[in-house]
Amino acid sequence: LYTAPDSCEGRCGEPFSEEDECHCHAECERHGNCCEDHERHCGPDGFSSSHDSITDQELLELSEQLYGVDHNKARPSDIAINPQHHAGPDETGDKQDRSPQPLYKFVNEELFSKPTYASFIKLLDNYQRATGREEEVTAEELREQDHFLEEVMRTELMKKIFAFLQGKNRYGSEQEFVQDLKEMWFGLYSRGDGERDSSGFEHVFSGEVKKGKVSGFHNWIRFYLLEKQGVVNYFSHNFNGPWDTYPDVLGLQFSWDGFYKEVGSAFIGCSPEFEFGLYSLCFLARPGRACHLSLGGHRLSVQTYPWTKSTYGGGRRFIATAYVMSP
């Protein structure tokens, strides 16, 4: 269902990109760089038809549409941030707090009563941040996962993503799509010591600590809530996106209870469904590769990686990480 980086399944006719491990376009045989299963999928009698591949142009057009239908995003008056120090490349790793003030001057917390925000925030306290410690998932937490998925699927944004993927023969029904989202994001796997201690959702949205460093943690709502509690300390930013409305993109340095994040990146002011949907789309279309998008006329990329050490549902991959790339 998702296009593996080393396979031509769902990729026949996909345009050439230097970032790809192997290729599935018509010229790859001449250049000797086809994926091993190119003939099986893309030959005259192949399994995958070229119209099921997701082109770069389609991703650019769809991401602009998603940007336009993010009805729950923050308005410019809902958030005031104070980015302060702009860190150069030689400063991001030195763990110096160069910004005396918090990043968030103001957030209109009425946003958090919207159904997708409220159900998202309920998920954030379900995790042990240390890798190597098994996650205990309660019945209530499973209900919270289902509730979040129900709420995001009510939005025009997620319905648009599903319709696109269904049109590409990735999913036969919305129920199948939701079940796969639940597995790829909330399914548990081991980042350390064989314990089922991690999931894509925990890593990307809630954040983890591994080998003394912050790992993942790419969500603005989580950052704001922890900064307000005094457990996150904003140090500096190394990138501030060109957007003058939300969502914007910030590359930032911070510490979380003394654990350091050298370069974190986050959408600022987007709805939970926007981030969740965009990362899911990129994971399904360009796993392990840069997924080139356009928001409000500005280009940007999302990077995702599949977890390679365990699978679910007959070889499908969990999400290892997903984040917006700051140049």
Side-chain angles (χ1 to χ4, degrees), residues 92 111 210 219 234-235 237 247 263 273 286:
T92 59
L111 281 171
K210 185 174 183 181
N219 179 255
Y234 170 74
F235 281 18
H237 70 284
V263 179
E273 61 267 27
R286 300 285 186 270

mmCIF file with all atom_site columns, all heavy atoms in Angstrom, residues 92 111 210 219 234-235 237 247 263 273 286:
data_model
loop_
_atom_site.group_PDB
_atom_site.id
_atom_site.type_symbol
_atom_site.label_atom_id
_atom_site.label_alt_id
_atom_site.label_comp_id
_atom_site.label_asym_id
_atom_site.label_entity_id
_atom_site.label_seq_id
_atom_site.pdbx_PDB_ins_code
_atom_site.Cartn_x
_atom_site.Cartn_y
_atom_site.Cartn_z
_atom_site.occupancy
_atom_site.B_iso_or_equiv
_atom_site.pdbx_formal_charge
_atom_site.auth_seq_id
_atom_site.auth_comp_id
_atom_site.auth_asym_id
_atom_site.auth_atom_id
_atom_site.pdbx_PDB_model_num
ATOM 1  N N   . THR A 1 92  ? 24.338 25.642 16.539 1.00 0.00 ? 92  THR A N   1
ATOM 2  C CA  . THR A 1 92  ? 23.193 24.774 16.880 1.00 0.00 ? 92  THR A CA  1
ATOM 3  C C   . THR A 1 92  ? 23.585 23.656 17.839 1.00 0.00 ? 92  THR A C   1
ATOM 4  O O   . THR A 1 92  ? 22.753 23.166 18.589 1.00 0.00 ? 92  THR A O   1
ATOM 5  C CB  . THR A 1 92  ? 22.552 24.157 15.619 1.00 0.00 ? 92  THR A CB  1
ATOM 6  O OG1 . THR A 1 92  ? 23.533 23.405 14.920 1.00 0.00 ? 92  THR A OG1 1
ATOM 7  C CG2 . THR A 1 92  ? 21.981 25.245 14.715 1.00 0.00 ? 92  THR A CG2 1
ATOM 8  N N   . LEU A 1 111 ? -8.419 27.362 20.764 1.00 0.00 ? 111 LEU A N   1
ATOM 9  C CA  . LEU A 1 111 ? -8.112 26.399 19.692 1.00 0.00 ? 111 LEU A CA  1
ATOM 10 C C   . LEU A 1 111 ? -8.192 24.968 20.209 1.00 0.00 ? 111 LEU A C   1
ATOM 11 O O   . LEU A 1 111 ? -8.638 24.054 19.511 1.00 0.00 ? 111 LEU A O   1
ATOM 12 C CB  . LEU A 1 111 ? -6.691 26.628 19.164 1.00 0.00 ? 111 LEU A CB  1
ATOM 13 C CG  . LEU A 1 111 ? -6.394 27.758 18.189 1.00 0.00 ? 111 LEU A CG  1
ATOM 14 C CD1 . LEU A 1 111 ? -4.891 27.890 18.004 1.00 0.00 ? 111 LEU A CD1 1
ATOM 15 C CD2 . LEU A 1 111 ? -7.069 27.502 16.847 1.00 0.00 ? 111 LEU A CD2 1
ATOM 16 N N   . LYS A 1 210 ? 16.506 9.405  23.874 1.00 0.00 ? 210 LYS A N   1
ATOM 17 C CA  . LYS A 1 210 ? 17.333 8.240  23.572 1.00 0.00 ? 210 LYS A CA  1
ATOM 18 C C   . LYS A 1 210 ? 18.805 8.631  23.660 1.00 0.00 ? 210 LYS A C   1
ATOM 19 O O   . LYS A 1 210 ? 19.218 9.636  23.074 1.00 0.00 ? 210 LYS A O   1
ATOM 20 C CB  . LYS A 1 210 ? 17.016 7.718  22.158 1.00 0.00 ? 210 LYS A CB  1
ATOM 21 C CG  . LYS A 1 210 ? 17.761 6.438  21.813 1.00 0.00 ? 210 LYS A CG  1
ATOM 22 C CD  . LYS A 1 210 ? 17.337 5.866  20.477 1.00 0.00 ? 210 LYS A CD  1
ATOM 23 C CE  . LYS A 1 210 ? 18.050 4.546  20.226 1.00 0.00 ? 210 LYS A CE  1
ATOM 24 N NZ  . LYS A 1 210 ? 17.704 3.954  18.936 1.00 0.00 ? 210 LYS A NZ  1
ATOM 25 N N   . ASN A 1 219 ? 6.221  18.667 17.256 1.00 0.00 ? 219 ASN A N   1
ATOM 26 C CA  . ASN A 1 219 ? 4.870  19.241 17.261 1.00 0.00 ? 219 ASN A CA  1
ATOM 27 C C   . ASN A 1 219 ? 4.782  20.513 18.081 1.00 0.00 ? 219 ASN A C   1
ATOM 28 O O   . ASN A 1 219 ? 5.212  20.557 19.231 1.00 0.00 ? 219 ASN A O   1
ATOM 29 C CB  . ASN A 1 219 ? 3.880  18.209 17.806 1.00 0.00 ? 219 ASN A CB  1
ATOM 30 C CG  . ASN A 1 219 ? 2.470  18.755 17.870 1.00 0.00 ? 219 ASN A CG  1
ATOM 31 O OD1 . ASN A 1 219 ? 1.979  19.078 18.943 1.00 0.00 ? 219 ASN A OD1 1
ATOM 32 N ND2 . ASN A 1 219 ? 1.825  18.916 16.724 1.00 0.00 ? 219 ASN A ND2 1
ATOM 33 N N   . TYR A 1 234 ? 13.353 26.987 25.401 1.00 0.00 ? 234 TYR A N   1
ATOM 34 C CA  . TYR A 1 234 ? 13.703 27.355 24.024 1.00 0.00 ? 234 TYR A CA  1
ATOM 35 C C   . TYR A 1 234 ? 15.058 28.073 24.010 1.00 0.00 ? 234 TYR A C   1
ATOM 36 O O   . TYR A 1 234 ? 15.284 29.002 24.780 1.00 0.00 ? 234 TYR A O   1
ATOM 37 C CB  . TYR A 1 234 ? 12.602 28.263 23.471 1.00 0.00 ? 234 TYR A CB  1
ATOM 38 C CG  . TYR A 1 234 ? 12.932 28.919 22.150 1.00 0.00 ? 234 TYR A CG  1
ATOM 39 C CD1 . TYR A 1 234 ? 12.928 28.184 20.970 1.00 0.00 ? 234 TYR A CD1 1
ATOM 40 C CD2 . TYR A 1 234 ? 13.252 30.284 22.090 1.00 0.00 ? 234 TYR A CD2 1
ATOM 41 C CE1 . TYR A 1 234 ? 13.239 28.777 19.755 1.00 0.00 ? 234 TYR A CE1 1
ATOM 42 C CE2 . TYR A 1 234 ? 13.556 30.877 20.878 1.00 0.00 ? 234 TYR A CE2 1
ATOM 43 C CZ  . TYR A 1 234 ? 13.553 30.128 19.715 1.00 0.00 ? 234 TYR A CZ  1
ATOM 44 O OH  . TYR A 1 234 ? 13.866 30.724 18.515 1.00 0.00 ? 234 TYR A OH  1
ATOM 45 N N   . PHE A 1 235 ? 15.963 27.631 23.098 1.00 0.00 ? 235 PHE A N   1
ATOM 46 C CA  . PHE A 1 235 ? 17.317 28.201 23.026 1.00 0.00 ? 235 PHE A CA  1
ATOM 47 C C   . PHE A 1 235 ? 17.504 29.168 21.858 1.00 0.00 ? 235 PHE A C   1
ATOM 48 O O   . PHE A 1 235 ? 18.077 30.228 22.005 1.00 0.00 ? 235 PHE A O   1
ATOM 49 C CB  . PHE A 1 235 ? 18.354 27.066 22.873 1.00 0.00 ? 235 PHE A CB  1
ATOM 50 C CG  . PHE A 1 235 ? 18.682 26.353 24.151 1.00 0.00 ? 235 PHE A CG  1
ATOM 51 C CD1 . PHE A 1 235 ? 17.859 26.436 25.264 1.00 0.00 ? 235 PHE A CD1 1
ATOM 52 C CD2 . PHE A 1 235 ? 19.831 25.576 24.248 1.00 0.00 ? 235 PHE A CD2 1
ATOM 53 C CE1 . PHE A 1 235 ? 18.164 25.771 26.441 1.00 0.00 ? 235 PHE A CE1 1
ATOM 54 C CE2 . PHE A 1 235 ? 20.149 24.906 25.417 1.00 0.00 ? 235 PHE A CE2 1
ATOM 55 C CZ  . PHE A 1 235 ? 19.317 24.996 26.523 1.00 0.00 ? 235 PHE A CZ  1
ATOM 56 N N   . HIS A 1 237 ? 16.645 29.592 17.130 1.00 0.00 ? 237 HIS A N   1
ATOM 57 C CA  . HIS A 1 237 ? 16.108 28.988 15.903 1.00 0.00 ? 237 HIS A CA  1
ATOM 58 C C   . HIS A 1 237 ? 17.153 29.116 14.797 1.00 0.00 ? 237 HIS A C   1
ATOM 59 O O   . HIS A 1 237 ? 17.919 30.070 14.753 1.00 0.00 ? 237 HIS A O   1
ATOM 60 C CB  . HIS A 1 237 ? 14.789 29.647 15.484 1.00 0.00 ? 237 HIS A CB  1
ATOM 61 C CG  . HIS A 1 237 ? 14.923 31.047 14.988 1.00 0.00 ? 237 HIS A CG  1
ATOM 62 N ND1 . HIS A 1 237 ? 15.135 32.114 15.835 1.00 0.00 ? 237 HIS A ND1 1
ATOM 63 C CD2 . HIS A 1 237 ? 14.908 31.574 13.733 1.00 0.00 ? 237 HIS A CD2 1
ATOM 64 C CE1 . HIS A 1 237 ? 15.229 33.226 15.125 1.00 0.00 ? 237 HIS A CE1 1
ATOM 65 N NE2 . HIS A 1 237 ? 15.103 32.925 13.852 1.00 0.00 ? 237 HIS A NE2 1
ATOM 66 N N   . PRO A 1 247 ? -0.135 27.563 8.558  1.00 0.00 ? 247 PRO A N   1
ATOM 67 C CA  . PRO A 1 247 ? 1.068  27.092 9.227  1.00 0.00 ? 247 PRO A CA  1
ATOM 68 C C   . PRO A 1 247 ? 2.349  27.736 8.703  1.00 0.00 ? 247 PRO A C   1
ATOM 69 O O   . PRO A 1 247 ? 2.466  28.032 7.515  1.00 0.00 ? 247 PRO A O   1
ATOM 70 C CB  . PRO A 1 247 ? 1.079  25.592 8.929  1.00 0.00 ? 247 PRO A CB  1
ATOM 71 C CG  . PRO A 1 247 ? 0.233  25.413 7.722  1.00 0.00 ? 247 PRO A CG  1
ATOM 72 C CD  . PRO A 1 247 ? -0.772 26.519 7.740  1.00 0.00 ? 247 PRO A CD  1
ATOM 73 N N   . VAL A 1 263 ? 18.702 20.220 16.396 1.00 0.00 ? 263 VAL A N   1
ATOM 74 C CA  . VAL A 1 263 ? 17.902 20.852 15.335 1.00 0.00 ? 263 VAL A CA  1
ATOM 75 C C   . VAL A 1 263 ? 16.566 20.118 15.274 1.00 0.00 ? 263 VAL A C   1
ATOM 76 O O   . VAL A 1 263 ? 16.492 18.990 14.782 1.00 0.00 ? 263 VAL A O   1
ATOM 77 C CB  . VAL A 1 263 ? 18.591 20.807 13.953 1.00 0.00 ? 263 VAL A CB  1
ATOM 78 C CG1 . VAL A 1 263 ? 17.681 21.451 12.910 1.00 0.00 ? 263 VAL A CG1 1
ATOM 79 C CG2 . VAL A 1 263 ? 19.926 21.535 13.975 1.00 0.00 ? 263 VAL A CG2 1
ATOM 80 N N   . GLU A 1 273 ? -4.752 17.666 12.302 1.00 0.00 ? 273 GLU A N   1
ATOM 81 C CA  . GLU A 1 273 ? -5.045 16.849 11.123 1.00 0.00 ? 273 GLU A CA  1
ATOM 82 C C   . GLU A 1 273 ? -4.159 17.219 9.931  1.00 0.00 ? 273 GLU A C   1
ATOM 83 O O   . GLU A 1 273 ? -3.835 16.380 9.084  1.00 0.00 ? 273 GLU A O   1
ATOM 84 C CB  . GLU A 1 273 ? -6.530 16.934 10.737 1.00 0.00 ? 273 GLU A CB  1
ATOM 85 C CG  . GLU A 1 273 ? -7.035 18.315 10.368 1.00 0.00 ? 273 GLU A CG  1
ATOM 86 C CD  . GLU A 1 273 ? -7.646 19.074 11.540 1.00 0.00 ? 273 GLU A CD  1
ATOM 87 O OE1 . GLU A 1 273 ? -7.259 18.805 12.700 1.00 0.00 ? 273 GLU A OE1 1
ATOM 88 O OE2 . GLU A 1 273 ? -8.508 19.936 11.290 1.00 0.00 ? 273 GLU A OE2 1
ATOM 89 N N   . ARG A 1 286 ? 6.251  8.663  -0.574 1.00 0.00 ? 286 ARG A N   1
ATOM 90 C CA  . ARG A 1 286 ? 7.712  8.791  -0.704 1.00 0.00 ? 286 ARG A CA  1
ATOM 91 C C   . ARG A 1 286 ? 8.425  8.342  0.568  1.00 0.00 ? 286 ARG A C   1
ATOM 92 O O   . ARG A 1 286 ? 9.187  9.096  1.170  1.00 0.00 ? 286 ARG A O   1
ATOM 93 C CB  . ARG A 1 286 ? 8.094  10.250 -0.991 1.00 0.00 ? 286 ARG A CB  1
ATOM 94 C CG  . ARG A 1 286 ? 7.511  10.874 -2.257 1.00 0.00 ? 286 ARG A CG  1
ATOM 95 C CD  . ARG A 1 286 ? 8.207  10.359 -3.516 1.00 0.00 ? 286 ARG A CD  1
ATOM 96 N NE  . ARG A 1 286 ? 7.740  11.077 -4.699 1.00 0.00 ? 286 ARG A NE  1
ATOM 97 C CZ  . ARG A 1 286 ? 6.704  10.710 -5.443 1.00 0.00 ? 286 ARG A CZ  1
ATOM 98 N NH1 . ARG A 1 286 ? 6.012  9.628  -5.124 1.00 0.00 ? 286 ARG A NH1 1
ATOM 99 N NH2 . ARG A 1 286 ? 6.356  11.410 -6.512 1.00 0.00 ? 286 ARG A NH2 1
#
